[in-house]
Amino acid sequence: MENLKLLTTCDNPFIAEVIRQALADNDIACMVVDQTITGINGGYGPMPGHAVKVFEKDEARAKPIVDAILANR
């Protein structure tokens, strides 16, 4: 089983979806994990956001795509 690597954590679901679609357009599978609805925070405390994760083998190709999106945000 391949390891997942965290690329970024987005502060809103729209940006996470833009990243997910850009990665899909480049044939890079990813997973967006909504971390705002977790019992870890107990409903209080920081809202960590939406984590975008890719397989370790795709991390090097995915990073520049994500960086470009975040830089032009």
Side-chain angles (χ1 to χ4, degrees):
M1 187 166 170
E2 292 186 60
N3 291 329
L4 290 173
K5 301 295 277 189
L6 176 66
L7 281 179
T8 189
T9 301
C10 302
D11 56 2
N12 70 59
F14 179 76
I15 297 299
E17 180 59 24
V18 168
I19 291 170
R20 188 201 63 74
Q21 186 60 54
L23 293 174
D25 290 347
N26 286 278
D27 296 320
I28 300 172
C30 81
M31 178 173 61
V32 177
V33 180
D34 182 355
Q35 297 179 322
T36 63
I37 52 173
T38 175
I40 294 171
N41 295 329
Y44 300 98
M47 300 292 256
H50 304 269
V52 180
K53 298 182 179 187
V54 296
F55 289 117
E56 192 170 26
K57 67 178 178 66
D58 295 325
E59 183 180 18
R61 283 192 318 134
K63 187 86 171 112
I65 296 167
V66 172
D67 290 346
I69 292 168
L70 295 177
N72 293 314
R73 183 176 164 194

